Amino acid sequence: MKTAISRKLFRQAKKVIPGGVNSPVRAFRSVGGTPLFVARAKGATVTDADGNTFLDYVSSWGPMILGHAHPEIVSAIRKAAGRGTSYGAPTAGEVALANLIRKAFPSIEKVRLVSSGTEAAMSAVRLARGFTGRDKIVKFEGCYHGHADPMLVKAGSGALTFGQPDSPGVPRDTAKHTLTATFNDAASVRRLFERNRGEIAAVIVEPIPGNMGVVLPTPGFLDELRKMTRTARALLIFDEVITGFRVAYGGAQELFGIVPDLTVLGKIIGGGLPVGAFGGRRDVMAALSPEGPVYQAGTLSGNPLAVAAGLAALTELARKNTYRKLAEKADYLGEGLQGVFQKADLPTWTNRVGSMWTTFFQEGPVVDYATAKKSDTAAYGRYFHRMLDRGVYLAPSQFEAGFVSLAHTRRDLDRTIAAARGALSGWPASR
Ligand SMILES: *Cc1c(COP(=O)(O)O)cnc(C)c1O
């Protein structure tokens, strides 16, 4: 595989961009090697600057559920661009997109559009604090809600201690309001509610975490969160930035039949353009400026290009049988890969929900952050590079999801399974 141009671009990039990338995980740090500089993408494939083409399961980290450069989305963006790219004034498209989101998510009575998932999660937490008049929030170790200060916290010395910032630059005074609990452990949340009576504004959770690798909620866990938050008059916030329009049209809340107070969306709803959204109960959303006192704003919020792309994407996804087709593809790939891993006699554990999955390089089970962390990341790195050599582009980190898109054909999936067979043949068992 030729990589001369990517390597040269990376050297140049590192001189002018920190680490050579505009988002850390792109840098291949956890798998080693040089990131591929992408020149273009179409359908299920990405092509790098050296002209190598790969079957893509990164999917821009989730948004590209219809495949790259989908004709309907490209055409919608072209048309919108011709009408001007930003006005700083309301548009009909925003109303249409809000209505599509509402229809898909009955829990969302009102919604605000922003420009990223980070911004949406940050704003939802501010709104929850403003609405309840409380400062503390509960998040789960290993769940990612963007990089706003209050969310850059994982458990320090245990699930019951006050949050320690994950990053320099996050004030302790900010982090101390973030309490961390263990995913799939309702008792860890109950203890936080007992020790912080009347002080917790919200519990924010990825209902199906995708940012420690895919982890499934155990039956009843999300129901428990719903009950506890209701009893404590705290809000339940589902961060469905990945799962929204992914695991079902109506996200994880449709799948599990749970009604959160607020929902955070992003990724798929922008059709590949920068977008985020948060919405929920009418009375809670009424606290948001200019209707209410909780401030939130954005020069490019509801940007006409992003809205046009989002409308096209959600309209495509609303077609009959979309999610059945996606599940068929994902099941086929999942079963094929499972067979390959079993034959290879290699300890792996796969968590999968529909078209998102993670294969952990360990025996499992993986149910939370602590168990996810047991994975052999060096082995994942080897597997990643062997797959790349065989034309398959997986996430350059063990703790990410793979995404199947509607553009993956049966032939693509067969090629992927064959690539995995090749990658694992002669696998070093004890290194
Ligand atoms: C990607 C992601 C975010 C952040 O979205 P950005 O658009 O990258 O800011 C927030 N929450 C979850 C669950 C995500 O996967």
Side-chain angles (χ1 to χ4, degrees):
M1 184 168 90
K2 279 194 216 133
T3 57
I5 300 177
S6 276
R7 278 186 284 129
K8 183 167 158 228
L9 284 169
F10 194 40
R11 276 195 304 275
Q12 291 172 354
K14 279 190 286 192
K15 288 184 187 147
V16 288
I17 300 171
V21 292
N22 281 315
S23 197
V25 74
R26 295 179 195 169
F28 276 30
R29 288 274 171 103
S30 68
V31 292
T34 303
L36 302 174
F37 279 65
V38 173
R40 59 186 181 277
K42 177 81 191 153
T45 64
V46 293
T47 301
D48 70 12
D50 288 277
N52 306 300
T53 294
F54 304 90
L55 285 170
D56 178 29
Y57 293 97
V58 176
S59 204
S60 186
W61 307 91
M64 312 315 297
I65 191 168
L66 292 160
H68 294 280
H70 188 278
E72 293 294 327
I73 296 180
V74 172
S75 149
I77 296 171
R78 283 214 172 102
K79 278 188 204 145
R83 296 190 295 262
T85 55
S86 184
Y87 323 118
T91 62
E94 291 163 271
V95 185
L97 186 56
N99 273 313
L100 277 189
I101 291 171
R102 264 199 62 166
K103 230 169 117 189
F105 287 77
S107 74
I108 300 182
E109 294 177 307
K110 282 192 177 179
V111 60
R112 170 142 306 165
L113 301 180
V114 294
S115 297
S116 70
T118 292
E119 208 188 335
M122 175 189 85
S123 307
V125 165
R126 181 184 304 140
L127 177 61
R129 285 170 160 167
F131 179 80
T132 58
R134 302 170 177 181
D135 284 343
K136 290 179 181 168
I137 59 166
V138 174
K139 79 174 281 293
F140 293 89
E141 198 181 5
C143 279
Y144 180 66
H145 305 294
H147 63 87
D149 283 0
M151 261 70 79
L152 274 189
V153 177
K154 62 183 177 193
S157 51
L160 295 175
T161 55
F162 284 115
Q164 295 286 322
D166 258 359
S167 163
V170 176
R172 278 172 167 285
D173 278 353
T174 302
K176 78 176 186 199
H177 298 299
T178 302
L179 314 174
T180 47
T182 305
F183 192 78
N184 276 332
D185 180 358
S188 73
V189 183
R190 191 167 305 114
R191 282 194 293 271
L192 291 176
F193 272 113
E194 280 164 7
R195 286 174 195 196
N196 300 274
R197 223 172 271 280
E199 294 183 279
I200 294 172
V203 172
I204 184 166
V205 64
E206 291 181 82
I208 302 168
N211 287 290
M212 46 181 138
V214 174
V215 170
L216 306 174
T218 48
F221 173 66
L222 296 171
D223 294 284
E224 277 296 309
L225 295 186
R226 181 62 285 186
K227 277 188 213 136
M228 280 188 269
T229 44
R230 195 165 276 144
T231 305
R233 296 169 179 276
L235 300 185
L236 179 61
I237 306 175
F238 271 13
D239 182 344
E240 299 229 40
V241 170
I242 287 185
T243 51
F245 298 96
R246 166 63 66 180
V247 296
Y249 193 67
Q253 54 196 270
E254 176 187 315
L255 213 58
F256 299 124
I258 294 176
V259 183
D261 300 298
L262 291 175
T263 299
V264 181
L265 295 168
K267 299 197 169 121
I268 288 176
I269 64 161
L273 266 67
V275 136
F278 64 103
R281 268 167 50 186
R282 184 180 305 279
D283 59 332
V284 179
M285 292 304 286
L288 199 63
S289 184
E291 220 173 305
V294 179
Y295 196 68
Q296 191 279 327
T299 301
L300 292 175
S301 290
N303 173 263
L305 293 191
V307 166
L311 278 173
L314 300 194
T315 304
E316 278 301 302
L317 289 173
R319 285 170 185 277
K320 228 174 98 196
N321 293 332
T322 299
Y323 287 86
R324 192 178 53 73
K325 277 185 219 153
L326 195 58
E328 276 169 16
K329 292 173 194 288
D331 289 350
Y332 183 80
L333 180 66
E335 279 156 29
L337 291 178
Q338 198 61 32
V340 171
F341 277 106
Q342 268 161 12
K343 270 214 194 87
D345 196 23
L346 176 76
T348 59
W349 175 272
T350 298
N351 284 334
R352 181 167 71 86
V353 185
S355 60
M356 59 188 272
W357 90 94
T358 300
T359 296
F360 296 93
F361 280 66
Q362 59 156 304
E363 270 163 19
V366 175
V367 296
D368 58 16
Y369 185 67
T371 48
K373 275 295 193 194
K374 290 181 184 164
S375 304
D376 182 348
T377 53
Y380 179 81
R382 277 202 298 279
Y383 174 66
F384 167 84
H385 280 291
R386 288 180 175 203
M387 289 298 274
L388 202 60
D389 288 343
R390 289 167 176 79
V392 178
Y393 188 49
L394 300 172
S397 161
Q398 167 73 92
F399 304 108
E400 300 288 349
F403 297 104
V404 180
S405 81
L406 285 156
H408 287 94
T409 62
R410 181 61 69 99
R411 199 167 148 262
D412 295 335
L413 303 176
D414 282 332
R415 273 185 50 205
T416 307
I417 296 163
R421 199 174 294 123
L424 294 184
S425 74
W427 183 264
S430 59
R431 266 195 305 130

